[in-house]
Amino acid sequence: MEAETSDRRRNDRILLVENHDLTAKNGGRRTVGDGPDPSIDASAGRPDDTQSIRVAVVDDHEMFRTGVIATLQPHFSIVGQAPDVESSILMVRETQPDVVLLDVHVPGGQGGGGAEILTRSHPLSPNSVFLALSVSDSPKDVGSVIRAGAQGYVTKTISSNDLISAIRQVHEGYAVFSPKLAGFVLSAFQDDEATETGLPAQDDELDRLSSREQEVMRLIARGYTYREVASELFISVKTVETHVSSVLRKLQLSNRSELTRWAADRRIV
């Protein structure tokens, strides 16, 4: 019961961004076609008093970093930018930003990328919140920065208006992430809770699957078609079919419906 209460409190402050698919404070979910949401600022694309929010941008690709800064400057105060681990930590310490937009794969340091920046920067700027902005949507990358303390994770396919909204929301204390990453983020939260309560996070059945098979399994369990899984993971449809057959065989399941129930029972979708 305590775990369910904890999950409910956390989920009440989680928002799904991109295409205005949002979960509001009261837990109600809105999707495209629901019409205007009064909780969403209609002026998201216009300058306003959120310029007082101080934002820093960390990304090793200069053209992308410059483009993001140009997009955000009319709406926020841009206080710093950096392309690698060491300069990012120094920049965060010196500028004390409210929000740090953080790429996951950043060179330098000890090779930990965005998660290393977050871990080493937080003690130096404890009031800063970190929003991961990355091209990667792999479970490993999502989990690493969420466990390191990121307030949210969005992919670089996000629209300008939704990125502006996401920055405002993490500044207000929400956890914000792209809809397709929801399962990965919740899995990271649940693993942390298992560690905190002393419960084993290991699942012998799940451990039978390779990392790629686990990725395919999670997407299939969420209702993705084989073609959508192939597009998401940059593999062929035939490879997806092979992975699904292997997953069903290893877990001794008969079909996708059983796989979905198996994943739901373990709260890994």
Side-chain angles (χ1 to χ4, degrees), residues 44-57 65-81 101 160 163-164 167-168:
R46 300 195 301 271
D48 59 19
D49 59 5
T50 55
Q51 282 184 322
S52 61
I53 300 176
R54 304 169 71 256
V55 176
V57 181
R65 194 172 68 246
T66 300
V68 169
I69 290 173
T71 297
L72 299 182
Q73 273 182 329
H75 311 275
F76 307 105
S77 175
I78 308 300
V79 297
Q81 58 174 303
L101 278 184
S160 297
L163 179 58
I164 292 166
I167 292 171
R168 293 174 181 167

Side-chain angles (χ1 to χ4, degrees), residues 136-153:
S136 172
D137 60 0
S138 78
K140 180 179 179 180
D141 290 335
V142 175
S144 67
V145 294
I146 293 299
R147 292 188 183 97
Q151 188 78 6
Y153 194 117

Side-chain angles (χ1 to χ4, degrees), residues 104-158:
V104 173
H105 297 293
V106 183
Q110 300 173 11
E116 180 181 347
I117 293 172
L118 203 159
T119 302
R120 294 173 58 188
S121 297
H122 183 68
L124 305 175
S125 184
N127 294 322
S128 297
V129 295
F130 292 76
L131 173 63
L133 174 64
S134 177
V135 68
S136 172
D137 60 0
S138 78
K140 180 179 179 180
D141 290 335
V142 175
S144 67
V145 294
I146 293 299
R147 292 188 183 97
Q151 188 78 6
Y153 194 117
V154 295
T155 62
K156 289 182 177 179
T157 58
I158 191 171

Side-chain angles (χ1 to χ4, degrees), residues 192-214:
D192 288 345
E193 287 176 355
T195 301
E196 291 170 2
T197 58
L199 298 175
Q202 182 175 352
D203 186 317
D204 291 338
E205 288 189 307
L206 184 63
D207 288 344
R208 297 175 192 170
L209 308 181
S210 68
S211 296
R212 178 61 87 184
E213 287 171 344
Q214 290 186 32

